[in-house]
Amino acid sequence: MAARNASPEGRLPPRVSLIYGNQAHAAERAAEAVLDAVLGEGARDFSLQRFDAGALLRPGAAADGKTVDDVRAAFETVPFLVERYAVLVKHVELLRAPVRKSSRKRSAADGKSGRPAAQTSDDEAPVAQVSDDEAPAAAEVLAAPPAEAPLPGAPAERLHEIVLRNMQVPPEGCWVVLLAEARNERDLPRALLTAAKGQGRIQKFVTYDDYEPIDWALEEARRHGLALERAHVRWLIQALGNDQGRLARELEKLALLFPPQTTPDEAAWRAAIHGEQHASLFFINEKLGERDLPGALAILEQFLGNTPGELPLLIGVLARHFRQLHRIREQVQARLSEQELAARLKVHPFVLGRLQRTAEGFSTVELERILDALARIDLGFRLHAQTAPMVLRDFVQRLCQGGFRDAGVRGGAAR
């Protein structure tokens, strides 16, 4: 059945779309918008092929039986009865550029001579040097082998070459849509990034730890017929975190509980979301910054109850937060502008203001002791995981009660 291609030629999206970020829900919506513009409405049995690189590269047969060679066939085989077709590949951040033969020989020679081997993979080179103006030329330099060349190597390398080749010269009538889970361009394969800049467009959907998508959630709630106020959405984000996919699924379920266009009271709303409550780890930083012992312990206990196997994630979140506060305290004398400091910390300026206010409540020495204690907790978890919950409770209590201000604090190095 022919797909109805609703968009006129002049309004079609670029032939190549690379969409990445840490908000999978928003990225997938953007990909669907591209597919709708290219393929229009109607059946897509012949005009759309979807692949997941994570499944293709997993050892053993994929659950759907697809292989890397199926991706190659999807690009090269023009389907019947359609004007345009699309190939979508998810998780392209897993692909790896192959090392060329000349590079392998040079690396082998360096190894025999005792010299360190040269870094030759495209993925290991910096990304930022390629500008939009330079991208077409760079794409020619990084061109993949001709179509008839064999594609030896590991599956990740073979899939990389297949995708790259078809990005650089998309087959007639074919649109290439790629999805990746990554926070930065440097986390993407360099050659694919360069080809996307030269042949299409890149869309980024990244949110930061302290970001509260209140306006987005209100719009999503309206789409489901929920008449919510900002306080309702804030409670929901505090319970579930800021992942848009999780919030969208929860709002869809809550729409079944409350009549359309009615505003639930606080008690009913909190009771409705309590069963799915999963407090965001990042709110424990806020409670610790306020030295709110009951609030911090409540979040910690909820985390320990729901996800006891993810303590390294919690330790990492805490360490990152207090490292940022320590860097802010160090920069007090540097007279940096807020924009410069935000760039160094790699956070949005609106997040920086909150961090600065929190940092004012800690001395530099206290933050050093906190970071030292977290390093000890991380090491202790690796050696004695069963004691980690007790140690974390002790850490939260001592921090909120000012224990790290004293030189003789247990678990922190005196300075």
Side-chain angles (χ1 to χ4, degrees):
M1 180 182 295
R4 288 180 287 163
N5 295 302
S7 298
E9 288 290 342
R11 299 174 58 185
L12 288 171
R15 298 283 296 281
V16 175
S17 294
L18 173 58
I19 305 168
Y20 75 95
N22 62 352
Q23 286 291 345
H25 181 74
E28 289 176 1
R29 278 192 174 181
E32 289 301 321
V34 172
L35 297 175
D36 289 344
V38 173
L39 305 177
E41 300 177 355
R44 296 178 179 176
D45 297 342
F46 301 106
S47 60
L48 175 61
Q49 294 278 0
R50 297 176 182 266
F51 298 94
D52 186 331
L56 293 172
L57 303 178
R58 192 177 298 125
D64 57 7
K66 294 180 179 178
T67 67
V68 171
D69 290 331
D70 290 324
V71 181
R72 187 175 193 174
F75 279 116
E76 297 176 356
T77 306
V78 180
F80 293 107
L81 305 176
V82 296
E83 300 175 49
R84 299 186 285 269
Y85 67 103
V87 178
L88 182 147
V89 183
K90 298 175 62 175
H91 293 297
V92 296
E93 76 277 3
L94 301 175
L95 307 190
R96 293 291 176 265
V99 178
R100 306 303 179 193
K101 289 183 178 179
S102 58
S103 300
R104 290 193 181 97
K105 291 179 181 178
R106 183 167 61 252
S107 298
D110 289 341
K112 291 179 181 178
S113 64
R115 297 192 301 270
Q119 301 296 325
T120 55
S121 171
D122 287 338
D123 295 329
E124 296 168 342
V127 171
Q129 283 78 1
V130 182
S131 67
D132 290 340
D133 295 334
E134 299 168 338
E140 292 178 6
V141 173
L142 294 170
E148 64 274 7
L151 293 172
E157 295 181 350
R158 293 176 56 224
L159 186 54
H160 178 282
E161 294 297 272
I162 291 169
V163 172
L164 176 60
R165 175 183 298 152
N166 288 282
M167 291 175 70
Q168 292 170 338
V169 185
E172 184 66 27
C174 179
W175 267 253
V176 183
V177 182
L178 307 178
L179 286 168
E181 290 187 9
R183 291 176 67 105
N184 303 286
E185 286 190 352
R186 64 175 176 270
D187 299 326
L188 301 169
R190 183 191 177 195
L192 302 189
L193 180 67
T194 302
K197 288 181 175 180
Q199 304 297 330
R201 71 179 177 191
I202 299 174
Q203 296 183 69
K204 177 181 178 180
F205 295 92
V206 173
T207 57
Y208 295 86
D209 300 341
D210 295 341
Y211 173 63
E212 294 183 343
I214 293 176
D215 291 332
W216 175 88
L218 283 170
E219 180 61 32
E220 189 73 11
R222 282 192 288 268
R223 201 169 67 84
H224 289 292
L226 287 166
L228 303 183
E229 298 175 355
R230 298 183 74 83
H232 293 94
V233 171
R234 184 169 283 111
W235 296 329
L236 187 67
I237 293 172
Q238 289 175 352
L240 300 177
N242 63 6
D243 182 80
Q244 292 180 5
R246 182 185 298 161
L247 291 171
R249 290 191 295 271
E250 183 64 13
L251 286 169
E252 185 176 4
K253 288 189 290 184
L254 291 168
L256 303 175
L257 299 178
F258 297 97
Q261 307 309 320
T262 60
T263 301
D265 59 35
E266 177 180 348
W269 182 254
R270 287 183 178 273
I273 64 175
H274 180 73
E276 294 293 327
Q277 198 167 27
H278 180 78
S280 171
L281 287 181
F282 308 107
F283 285 99
I284 197 172
N285 294 330
E286 180 181 330
K287 298 300 182 183
L288 291 174
E290 298 169 354
R291 301 188 191 270
D292 178 357
L293 179 58
L297 283 176
I299 294 176
L300 175 62
E301 292 303 325
Q302 188 170 12
F303 178 80
L304 293 174
N306 292 339
T307 52
E310 296 183 8
L311 285 179
L313 173 61
L314 172 59
I315 297 169
V317 168
L318 292 171
R320 178 177 179 271
H321 176 70
F322 285 100
R323 194 176 299 115
Q324 286 178 326
L325 300 184
H326 185 263
R327 292 186 66 185
I328 288 174
R329 297 293 302 177
E330 285 184 327
Q331 299 299 330
V332 169
Q333 304 300 326
R335 300 182 183 278
L336 297 177
S337 68
E338 289 191 358
Q339 291 76 13
E340 291 172 327
L341 185 53
R344 289 195 180 188
L345 293 178
K346 298 181 180 179
V347 300
H348 274 294
F350 76 87
V351 175
L352 175 63
R354 188 182 303 174
L355 290 172
Q356 286 177 316
R357 291 190 295 272
T358 303
E360 291 173 358
F362 296 86
S363 69
T364 301
V365 173
E366 184 179 11
L367 290 169
E368 289 173 353
R369 291 171 180 157
I370 290 171
L371 289 170
D372 184 74
L374 286 170
R376 292 170 181 267
I377 292 172
D378 182 58
L379 177 61
F381 173 79
R382 299 172 193 276
L383 299 176
H384 308 286
Q386 68 276 10
T387 65
M390 179 181 64
V391 174
L392 278 169
R393 293 186 187 100
D394 182 59
F395 168 82
V396 168
Q397 181 178 359
R398 286 186 286 127
L399 190 154
C400 291
Q401 294 177 344
F404 289 100
R405 293 170 179 162
D406 303 325
V409 63
R410 290 180 294 123
R415 300 188 185 281

